[in-house]
Amino acid sequence: MDPTLKLCAFFLLLLGLVNGSFAENDFGQCEGVVKRWTSSSLDEEMTKEDKHTLRDLLFFLHVPRTGGRTYFHCFLKKLYPSYLECPRSYDKLRFDPSKTKCRLLVTHDDYSITSKLPRERTSVVTILRDPVDRVFSTYEFSIEVAARFLVHPNLTSATKMALRLSSKTKGVSTLEIWPWKYLVPWMREDLFARRDARYSREHNIIESNDSYDMEDFAMPLQEYINDPVALDVVHNGATFQVAGLTNNSYIAEAHEVRHCVQKYKTLGKYVLQVAKKRLDDMLYVGLTEEHRESATKFANVVGTQVISQLNAPNPSMETTDNSERTSFSISDPDSSEHQNSTLNREESEVISSEGGEATESNMTVGELMDAYELCIANLRKSQSRRRIASLKKISPVNFTKEARLQVSEEVLHEIRSLNDLDLELYEYARTIFNKQHKTSLLINEDSWDNVSTAYGIWRLVTLAITFVFLFIFLLIVNARRRTWKVKK
């Protein structure tokens, strides 16, 4: 063999050994980082005496695209008066938990925010969704919101207007909320680039029958799910959010742990261990797909306790100081110029028309469910109108349940593979949900048994009282007869 070739082969072999050594050391380092975080996270978890009991502060960990907005508007805002709602913290913590005596916190922040809250007085609830459907919904919403900017002539104009309006409003813009502050600008830039490309060609524009693969109009779903932005923010998002490891985390080592788990899939089991433990300790875990049953359970498990708690005097929880009670609304920064109303404006109109403020504190679960059903129906109509208006700007793209059925099995397989942790966590959540259902049935049966027993006791007491009164009446009548005979 040529000496030069031998030398090259030697160096390639040496390079391979060095790279292998570095890879092994890198994995070992990552494994150590993840294990240390797992151990400390599990040690921090407090075993609650009764996780089914609502504590002073209710933290709704809102996983994006799970239907959490409807729970907030149509359940929680009907249960809690506005003065008991913590300042909105979708982008960052906007209040001092050690001073503010609020009772409801709703946010996209991950679980790590509990490190800032009084843990012994905090109950956590969340809703999870089938991971494949959640990826679809995230993709669709990213494009929907980004499409609203297309009324502007170019990207520069849209960006300037968004910044100008954002600086003027007191509300929190969608562009400041995790994860949309990453996903919408990325998608907005892409939509403008594709529109400019269409205008430059004028002809030869390809329209597909698949709304998820219309390259000339919007980023195809397959391209979206494989982009580094989606890989970091979207995939396994529910697991990282429940574990407290998003890129919006309050934990210093969150980025390193997440990066290691994304690089070495075998390390995901440690993150799942923490996420599952946290689901176990939550007051309530709902499922988007089990809408009716999930809502009923929420009303029974959470709603009844909120009503009872707010009716009971509790001097330790004073009303929130006015200086910290500002409500931060969610709005779209491009709304004042666009033909669409803002997300906040449309929804606030729906909520106000249905009595968005908390209803009377002595309402029943049945009344709460009636109010919820009416509110959610109107909210869905407003969301549908807004979506249709947004997608008209990139017609013929139209996201529907029927359109999802056209997505190839190859793409679906990729989504499942990229969201392996979320799939396992979701199945675990289903187990918890079913247990909650059985517990709820047992509680209801016990309640009915108690009612039946109480009713039986009440009947005996009533009969006894009736007998006593009858006996006294007969004594009085008999005494009067004797008196009458004596007088006669």
Side-chain angles (χ1 to χ4, degrees), residues 198-331:
R198 288 199 308 275
Y199 287 172
S200 65
R201 289 202 313 269
E202 293 186 9
H203 303 293
N204 300 322
I205 296 174
I206 301 174
E207 291 187 16
S208 167
N209 292 325
D210 183 357
S211 288
Y212 297 90
D213 189 18
M214 289 193 176
E215 190 173 3
D216 284 338
F217 296 87
M219 182 183 293
L221 176 62
Q222 188 167 25
E223 182 181 339
Y224 176 93
I225 63 175
N226 286 292
D227 192 275
V229 176
L231 292 173
D232 190 45
V233 179
V234 178
H235 302 312
N236 289 321
T239 302
F240 287 133
Q241 197 169 349
V242 174
L245 294 173
T246 68
N247 60 347
N248 194 43
S249 179
Y250 290 85
I251 301 173
E253 65 270 28
H255 174 73
E256 187 176 9
V257 174
R258 188 177 71 257
H259 174 74
C260 283
V261 171
Q262 289 169 336
K263 188 173 183 180
Y264 302 107
K265 297 193 92 173
T266 57
L267 298 178
K269 60 185 178 182
Y270 298 108
V271 176
L272 274 172
Q273 185 181 357
V274 174
K276 288 177 179 179
K277 178 64 169 64
R278 287 174 175 170
L279 287 185
D280 278 331
D281 291 340
M282 289 186 185
L283 172 66
Y284 163 86
V285 177
L287 299 176
T288 306
E289 287 71 24
E290 304 289 347
H291 164 68
R292 178 69 192 184
E293 187 179 343
S294 193
T296 303
K297 191 183 281 76
F298 187 89
N300 280 290
V301 173
V302 181
T304 52
Q305 293 195 68
V306 173
I307 294 169
S308 175
Q309 189 185 76
L310 295 183
N311 282 334
N314 189 348
S316 67
M317 294 294 289
E318 302 165 1
T319 58
T320 307
D321 180 20
N322 287 333
S323 64
E324 295 186 341
R325 190 159 53 107
T326 306
S327 177
F328 289 84
S329 61
I330 302 175
S331 60

Side-chain angles (χ1 to χ4, degrees), residues 169-215:
T169 180
K170 292 182 179 179
V172 177
S173 162
T174 304
L175 298 182
E176 296 175 292
I177 298 171
W178 184 91
W180 312 119
K181 63 182 179 181
Y182 299 105
L183 301 179
V184 174
W186 166 46
M187 200 53 50
R188 180 179 61 188
E189 183 176 346
D190 182 78
L191 287 179
F192 271 98
R194 292 176 194 273
R195 188 180 74 172
D196 292 343
R198 288 199 308 275
Y199 287 172
S200 65
R201 289 202 313 269
E202 293 186 9
H203 303 293
N204 300 322
I205 296 174
I206 301 174
E207 291 187 16
S208 167
N209 292 325
D210 183 357
S211 288
Y212 297 90
D213 189 18
M214 289 193 176
E215 190 173 3

Side-chain angles (χ1 to χ4, degrees), residues 133-146:
D133 287 338
R134 201 180 77 83
V135 170
F136 269 106
S137 185
T138 303
Y139 167 77
E140 294 162 2
F141 190 70
S142 300
I143 292 177
E144 176 192 333
V145 177

Side-chain angles (χ1 to χ4, degrees), residues 42-91:
L42 293 175
D43 288 343
E44 286 175 2
E45 293 300 306
M46 296 178 60
T47 303
K48 295 182 173 64
E49 295 179 3
D50 184 6
K51 67 178 182 181
H52 300 296
T53 301
L54 174 67
R55 300 185 179 265
D56 291 331
L57 176 62
L58 178 64
F59 167 39
F60 180 23
L61 192 158
H62 182 182
V63 178
R65 309 315 295 167
T66 58
R69 192 187 309 159
T70 58
Y71 272 68
F72 171 65
H73 284 301
C74 300
F75 261 141
L76 296 174
K77 283 187 75 70
K78 293 186 180 301
L79 287 168
Y80 287 92
S82 59
Y83 66 85
L84 288 180
E85 182 188 342
C86 302
R88 305 293 290 281
S89 301
Y90 276 97
D91 56 330

Side-chain angles (χ1 to χ4, degrees), residues 415-429:
I415 294 174
R416 295 189 194 101
S417 177
L418 291 166
N419 290 273
D420 57 325
L421 300 182
D422 273 10
L423 284 168
E424 186 170 340
L425 187 68
Y426 180 73
E427 288 306 313
Y428 191 77

Side-chain angles (χ1 to χ4, degrees), residues 95-140:
F95 66 99
D96 183 352
S98 66
K99 295 180 180 179
T100 306
K101 304 298 183 181
C102 54
R103 297 198 186 191
L104 173 65
L105 175 62
V106 181
T107 169
H108 282 185
D109 278 300
D110 63 33
Y111 195 92
S112 65
I113 196 178
T114 58
S115 63
K116 307 291 182 180
L117 306 176
R119 289 199 177 191
E120 70 283 355
R121 293 196 294 106
T122 302
S123 290
V124 184
V125 298
T126 195
I127 304 171
L128 296 186
R129 183 177 187 176
D130 177 87
V132 176
D133 287 338
R134 201 180 77 83
V135 170
F136 269 106
S137 185
T138 303
Y139 167 77
E140 294 162 2

